[in-house]
Amino acid sequence: MRIVTYICLICLLTFGGQAQVKQSAEKPDLRIQQNLSDSALLDLVQKQTFRYFWDYAHPVSGLARERSNKSFDYGDEVVTTGGSGFGIMAIIVATERGWISRDAATERLLKIINFLRKADSYHGVFPHWLNGATGKTIPFSRKDDGADLVETSFLFEGLLSARQYFNRDAPKEQELRDKINWTWYEAEWDWFTRDGRNVLYWHWSPNNGWSMNHELRGWNECFITYIMAASSPKYPIKPEVYHQGWANSSYFRNNRTFFDIKLPLGFNYGGPLFFSHYSFMGLDPRGLKDRYADYWEQNKNHTLINREYCVRNPKGFKGYGPNAWGLTASDTYNGYDAHSPENDHGTITPTAALSAFPYTPEYSMQALKHFYYQLGNKIWSQYGFTDAFNETQQWYAQSHLAIDQGPIIVMIENYRSGLLWKLFMSCPEIQQGLKKLDISSPYLK
C-alpha cells in the first residue's frame, strides 16, 4: 500500500465523528467507465478530484495538504495557503452539487477559519506554508519564512467566495461570514508597497525583512494580488501601484503573434498555463478589460497557443497531439518544473487542459477523454488525475498537488455554471477595487 493511501486512511478515521461527504462512505471508483456522457464524465472528474480537499484535508486545520506524497522532504503537517483557497472554492462546488451537505461544508469552513484566526500571520498576511497541526510557519525557503502576499490572495479569493455563498440567516453561517470579514479586514495590503513604493512586494519576514526583494510585475499569476490589494476595505493600495508597478515590466505587453494567434500580454508563447487559471478562479475574465488587455482574449489565446505548440510538437515528444496537450508547472520525472513552450521537456500536466475548460471547451473535452479513457489506467486515482506524465520517459506521476487539483474542479464549474465567478464578482469590495484600477466588467454597476 502506498504511503499516501495509508495517510488517507488515517485522515478518514480522524474525521469519523464529523458529517461526511456522501462519497466518503464509498470506495473511490478506480475503474475506467466506458461511454460516459460528457456531463457524467465532468461530474466524475470534479467529484473524485474533490476528495483531495475533503478526505485528505489536514485533520486538525481542515486546510489542504501541499501534496499527497513524501518527495522533496515534505512533512505530513505541511498545508498550503493558496491551495487551501482553491480547496475552499472546491467545497462550494461540492455543496452546490450536493456531494456534501451545506451543514457539513459550513462546519469544515468554520474549522478552517478558526484555525487561520490563530495561525501565524504577518501584518495580517499568511505564509506560503503552515504547520496544519500548530498554525506555525513552515519556511518555503531559507529566507521565505514570513508573509506571502500572492498565496494569501489565492486564499482570500476562496474565503470571499465562501462568504458570498454561505449567506443564509443561520448562526453558523453568520459566524463564518463574520470571521472571514475580520480576517479580510486585518490584511495590510498596503504594507507590501515597502514604505510607499509604487509596486507590491511578494514577501516580508520578521527575520529577514524585505531581503527576498521580489517585486510583483506582470504578466503572471499575480494579477489577482493587485485586485485584492486594491479592494481591501482598510488597507488598500493606490491605483498608481497597479499602473506603475504591475503594468511596468518588460514581460507585460507582448502583442506579437504565435501560430497566427495574437498574445496581448506576457512571455513569448504565453508561459505556463496556470497564469490563466489562478487569478481567474473567482475573477471572471468575460468582458474584463482595461487599458492593457481584454482578459478573455488574453486567456483564450494563451491557451490556444499552448495547445497549438503541443500539436505541432517541434521537439518530437511521444504522446503529444490534439488530444494530449497542456504545459504548466507540475511535478516531472526529475523533480518539479514550470513547463511551457519555451521550457518543454515532454511533460503533460492534466490540470493545464482541464482548467482551461472555460476558454477551450471542445479542446479541453478532447484532452479529458484521452486522459481518462486512454491513459486512465496510468494516471486515474482516488483523487482524480495524478499530477503529470511524460510518455517519452515512460513516467507517470503518483502525486497530487493542491494547486493543480483545485483549479480542475473550480474552472470546470465556471465553464458549466459560472458559479465561482458569480460569487466572487458579487463582492462589493471587488467591484470597487476594479473601478479603482479602471478595469471594466459587466458586473460593475
PDB file of all heavy atoms in Angstrom, residues 229-246:
ATOM      1  N   ALA A 229      -5.533  43.671  -3.391  1.00  0.00           N
ATOM      2  CA  ALA A 229      -4.920  44.803  -2.694  1.00  0.00           C
ATOM      3  C   ALA A 229      -5.689  46.095  -2.938  1.00  0.00           C
ATOM      4  O   ALA A 229      -5.840  46.921  -2.028  1.00  0.00           O
ATOM      5  CB  ALA A 229      -3.466  44.957  -3.135  1.00  0.00           C
ATOM      6  N   ALA A 230      -6.197  46.288  -4.148  1.00  0.00           N
ATOM      7  CA  ALA A 230      -6.981  47.482  -4.451  1.00  0.00           C
ATOM      8  C   ALA A 230      -8.357  47.431  -3.799  1.00  0.00           C
ATOM      9  O   ALA A 230      -8.967  48.474  -3.548  1.00  0.00           O
ATOM     10  CB  ALA A 230      -7.130  47.643  -5.959  1.00  0.00           C
ATOM     11  N   SER A 231      -8.829  46.221  -3.499  1.00  0.00           N
ATOM     12  CA  SER A 231     -10.184  46.026  -2.977  1.00  0.00           C
ATOM     13  C   SER A 231     -10.255  46.018  -1.458  1.00  0.00           C
ATOM     14  O   SER A 231     -11.349  45.979  -0.897  1.00  0.00           O
ATOM     15  CB  SER A 231     -10.751  44.701  -3.510  1.00  0.00           C
ATOM     16  OG  SER A 231     -10.758  44.673  -4.917  1.00  0.00           O
ATOM     17  N   SER A 232      -9.117  46.028  -0.790  1.00  0.00           N
ATOM     18  CA  SER A 232      -9.098  45.943   0.668  1.00  0.00           C
ATOM     19  C   SER A 232      -9.913  47.065   1.298  1.00  0.00           C
ATOM     20  O   SER A 232      -9.735  48.246   0.958  1.00  0.00           O
ATOM     21  CB  SER A 232      -7.658  46.025   1.174  1.00  0.00           C
ATOM     22  OG  SER A 232      -7.629  46.173   2.589  1.00  0.00           O
ATOM     23  N   PRO A 233     -10.812  46.737   2.245  1.00  0.00           N
ATOM     24  CA  PRO A 233     -11.633  47.782   2.876  1.00  0.00           C
ATOM     25  C   PRO A 233     -10.835  48.730   3.778  1.00  0.00           C
ATOM     26  O   PRO A 233     -11.209  49.882   3.938  1.00  0.00           O
ATOM     27  CB  PRO A 233     -12.641  46.981   3.712  1.00  0.00           C
ATOM     28  CG  PRO A 233     -12.596  45.591   3.175  1.00  0.00           C
ATOM     29  CD  PRO A 233     -11.206  45.387   2.668  1.00  0.00           C
ATOM     30  N   LYS A 234      -9.727  48.256   4.360  1.00  0.00           N
ATOM     31  CA  LYS A 234      -9.000  49.059   5.346  1.00  0.00           C
ATOM     32  C   LYS A 234      -7.584  49.417   4.918  1.00  0.00           C
ATOM     33  O   LYS A 234      -7.052  50.447   5.354  1.00  0.00           O
ATOM     34  CB  LYS A 234      -8.948  48.313   6.689  1.00  0.00           C
ATOM     35  CG  LYS A 234     -10.299  48.170   7.369  1.00  0.00           C
ATOM     36  CD  LYS A 234     -10.157  47.646   8.787  1.00  0.00           C
ATOM     37  CE  LYS A 234      -9.479  48.637   9.699  1.00  0.00           C
ATOM     38  NZ  LYS A 234      -9.441  48.142  11.110  1.00  0.00           N
ATOM     39  N   TYR A 235      -6.948  48.575   4.089  1.00  0.00           N
ATOM     40  CA  TYR A 235      -5.543  48.798   3.749  1.00  0.00           C
ATOM     41  C   TYR A 235      -5.325  48.697   2.233  1.00  0.00           C
ATOM     42  O   TYR A 235      -4.511  47.910   1.764  1.00  0.00           O
ATOM     43  CB  TYR A 235      -4.660  47.779   4.466  1.00  0.00           C
ATOM     44  CG  TYR A 235      -4.753  47.817   5.969  1.00  0.00           C
ATOM     45  CD1 TYR A 235      -5.566  46.921   6.658  1.00  0.00           C
ATOM     46  CD2 TYR A 235      -4.040  48.763   6.708  1.00  0.00           C
ATOM     47  CE1 TYR A 235      -5.652  46.946   8.047  1.00  0.00           C
ATOM     48  CE2 TYR A 235      -4.118  48.802   8.097  1.00  0.00           C
ATOM     49  CZ  TYR A 235      -4.927  47.890   8.751  1.00  0.00           C
ATOM     50  OH  TYR A 235      -5.006  47.934  10.120  1.00  0.00           O
ATOM     51  N   PRO A 236      -6.037  49.502   1.450  1.00  0.00           N
ATOM     52  CA  PRO A 236      -5.922  49.381   0.000  1.00  0.00           C
ATOM     53  C   PRO A 236      -4.673  50.061  -0.555  1.00  0.00           C
ATOM     54  O   PRO A 236      -4.125  50.984   0.065  1.00  0.00           O
ATOM     55  CB  PRO A 236      -7.181  50.082  -0.505  1.00  0.00           C
ATOM     56  CG  PRO A 236      -7.430  51.144   0.523  1.00  0.00           C
ATOM     57  CD  PRO A 236      -7.036  50.528   1.846  1.00  0.00           C
ATOM     58  N   ILE A 237      -4.272  49.609  -1.721  1.00  0.00           N
ATOM     59  CA  ILE A 237      -3.200  50.286  -2.451  1.00  0.00           C
ATOM     60  C   ILE A 237      -3.800  51.391  -3.321  1.00  0.00           C
ATOM     61  O   ILE A 237      -4.987  51.395  -3.624  1.00  0.00           O
ATOM     62  CB  ILE A 237      -2.408  49.308  -3.331  1.00  0.00           C
ATOM     63  CG1 ILE A 237      -3.338  48.592  -4.338  1.00  0.00           C
ATOM     64  CG2 ILE A 237      -1.632  48.325  -2.478  1.00  0.00           C
ATOM     65  CD1 ILE A 237      -2.616  47.814  -5.423  1.00  0.00           C
ATOM     66  N   LYS A 238      -2.953  52.317  -3.735  1.00  0.00           N
ATOM     67  CA  LYS A 238      -3.350  53.364  -4.669  1.00  0.00           C
ATOM     68  C   LYS A 238      -3.319  52.807  -6.092  1.00  0.00           C
ATOM     69  O   LYS A 238      -2.573  51.866  -6.388  1.00  0.00           O
ATOM     70  CB  LYS A 238      -2.392  54.555  -4.554  1.00  0.00           C
ATOM     71  CG  LYS A 238      -2.349  55.213  -3.188  1.00  0.00           C
ATOM     72  CD  LYS A 238      -1.341  56.353  -3.161  1.00  0.00           C
ATOM     73  CE  LYS A 238       0.087  55.830  -3.390  1.00  0.00           C
ATOM     74  NZ  LYS A 238       1.090  56.930  -3.278  1.00  0.00           N
ATOM     75  N   PRO A 239      -4.091  53.385  -7.007  1.00  0.00           N
ATOM     76  CA  PRO A 239      -4.061  52.916  -8.395  1.00  0.00           C
ATOM     77  C   PRO A 239      -2.669  52.956  -9.018  1.00  0.00           C
ATOM     78  O   PRO A 239      -2.343  52.120  -9.872  1.00  0.00           O
ATOM     79  CB  PRO A 239      -5.024  53.882  -9.110  1.00  0.00           C
ATOM     80  CG  PRO A 239      -5.944  54.370  -8.047  1.00  0.00           C
ATOM     81  CD  PRO A 239      -5.122  54.423  -6.796  1.00  0.00           C
ATOM     82  N   GLU A 240      -1.846  53.909  -8.573  1.00  0.00           N
ATOM     83  CA  GLU A 240      -0.509  54.019  -9.147  1.00  0.00           C
ATOM     84  C   GLU A 240       0.329  52.767  -8.924  1.00  0.00           C
ATOM     85  O   GLU A 240       1.234  52.459  -9.713  1.00  0.00           O
ATOM     86  CB  GLU A 240       0.227  55.228  -8.551  1.00  0.00           C
ATOM     87  CG  GLU A 240      -0.340  56.575  -8.934  1.00  0.00           C
ATOM     88  CD  GLU A 240      -1.560  56.976  -8.129  1.00  0.00           C
ATOM     89  OE1 GLU A 240      -1.926  56.234  -7.173  1.00  0.00           O
ATOM     90  OE2 GLU A 240      -2.154  58.027  -8.434  1.00  0.00           O
ATOM     91  N   VAL A 241       0.047  52.061  -7.842  1.00  0.00           N
ATOM     92  CA  VAL A 241       0.802  50.840  -7.560  1.00  0.00           C
ATOM     93  C   VAL A 241       0.557  49.801  -8.663  1.00  0.00           C
ATOM     94  O   VAL A 241       1.473  49.078  -9.079  1.00  0.00           O
ATOM     95  CB  VAL A 241       0.425  50.278  -6.173  1.00  0.00           C
ATOM     96  CG1 VAL A 241       1.204  49.014  -5.867  1.00  0.00           C
ATOM     97  CG2 VAL A 241       0.670  51.324  -5.095  1.00  0.00           C
ATOM     98  N   TYR A 242      -0.678  49.741  -9.140  1.00  0.00           N
ATOM     99  CA  TYR A 242      -1.029  48.831 -10.235  1.00  0.00           C
ATOM    100  C   TYR A 242      -0.426  49.300 -11.556  1.00  0.00           C
ATOM    101  O   TYR A 242       0.246  48.526 -12.260  1.00  0.00           O
ATOM    102  CB  TYR A 242      -2.548  48.757 -10.341  1.00  0.00           C
ATOM    103  CG  TYR A 242      -3.094  47.944 -11.492  1.00  0.00           C
ATOM    104  CD1 TYR A 242      -3.041  46.549 -11.476  1.00  0.00           C
ATOM    105  CD2 TYR A 242      -3.693  48.575 -12.582  1.00  0.00           C
ATOM    106  CE1 TYR A 242      -3.561  45.805 -12.526  1.00  0.00           C
ATOM    107  CE2 TYR A 242      -4.221  47.838 -13.631  1.00  0.00           C
ATOM    108  CZ  TYR A 242      -4.151  46.449 -13.607  1.00  0.00           C
ATOM    109  OH  TYR A 242      -4.670  45.716 -14.636  1.00  0.00           O
ATOM    110  N   HIS A 243      -0.632  50.553 -11.879  1.00  0.00           N
ATOM    111  CA  HIS A 243      -0.245  51.031 -13.207  1.00  0.00           C
ATOM    112  C   HIS A 243       1.266  51.225 -13.340  1.00  0.00           C
ATOM    113  O   HIS A 243       1.825  50.952 -14.414  1.00  0.00           O
ATOM    114  CB  HIS A 243      -0.981  52.335 -13.526  1.00  0.00           C
ATOM    115  CG  HIS A 243      -2.469  52.167 -13.624  1.00  0.00           C
ATOM    116  ND1 HIS A 243      -3.057  51.410 -14.615  1.00  0.00           N
ATOM    117  CD2 HIS A 243      -3.479  52.629 -12.841  1.00  0.00           C
ATOM    118  CE1 HIS A 243      -4.368  51.425 -14.461  1.00  0.00           C
ATOM    119  NE2 HIS A 243      -4.655  52.150 -13.383  1.00  0.00           N
ATOM    120  N   GLN A 244       1.928  51.633 -12.261  1.00  0.00           N
ATOM    121  CA  GLN A 244       3.373  51.853 -12.339  1.00  0.00           C
ATOM    122  C   GLN A 244       4.188  50.643 -11.875  1.00  0.00           C
ATOM    123  O   GLN A 244       5.385  50.561 -12.152  1.00  0.00           O
ATOM    124  CB  GLN A 244       3.751  53.079 -11.518  1.00  0.00           C
ATOM    125  CG  GLN A 244       3.128  54.364 -12.047  1.00  0.00           C
ATOM    126  CD  GLN A 244       3.451  55.574 -11.202  1.00  0.00           C
ATOM    127  OE1 GLN A 244       4.472  55.622 -10.499  1.00  0.00           O
ATOM    128  NE2 GLN A 244       2.587  56.584 -11.235  1.00  0.00           N
ATOM    129  N   GLY A 245       3.526  49.726 -11.166  1.00  0.00           N
ATOM    130  CA  GLY A 245       4.221  48.530 -10.687  1.00  0.00           C
ATOM    131  C   GLY A 245       3.919  47.324 -11.541  1.00  0.00           C
ATOM    132  O   GLY A 245       4.723  46.892 -12.361  1.00  0.00           O
ATOM    133  N   TRP A 246       2.709  46.804 -11.374  1.00  0.00           N
ATOM    134  CA  TRP A 246       2.299  45.602 -12.107  1.00  0.00           C
ATOM    135  C   TRP A 246       2.458  45.748 -13.614  1.00  0.00           C
ATOM    136  O   TRP A 246       3.000  44.877 -14.291  1.00  0.00           O
ATOM    137  CB  TRP A 246       0.844  45.301 -11.760  1.00  0.00           C
ATOM    138  CG  TRP A 246       0.186  44.215 -12.564  1.00  0.00           C
ATOM    139  CD1 TRP A 246      -0.819  44.374 -13.476  1.00  0.00           C
ATOM    140  CD2 TRP A 246       0.474  42.815 -12.520  1.00  0.00           C
ATOM    141  NE1 TRP A 246      -1.177  43.153 -14.008  1.00  0.00           N
ATOM    142  CE2 TRP A 246      -0.389  42.187 -13.428  1.00  0.00           C
ATOM    143  CE3 TRP A 246       1.387  42.051 -11.796  1.00  0.00           C
ATOM    144  CZ2 TRP A 246      -0.380  40.810 -13.644  1.00  0.00           C
ATOM    145  CZ3 TRP A 246       1.394  40.674 -12.001  1.00  0.00           C
ATOM    146  CH2 TRP A 246       0.515  40.078 -12.914  1.00  0.00           C
TER     147      TRP A 246
END
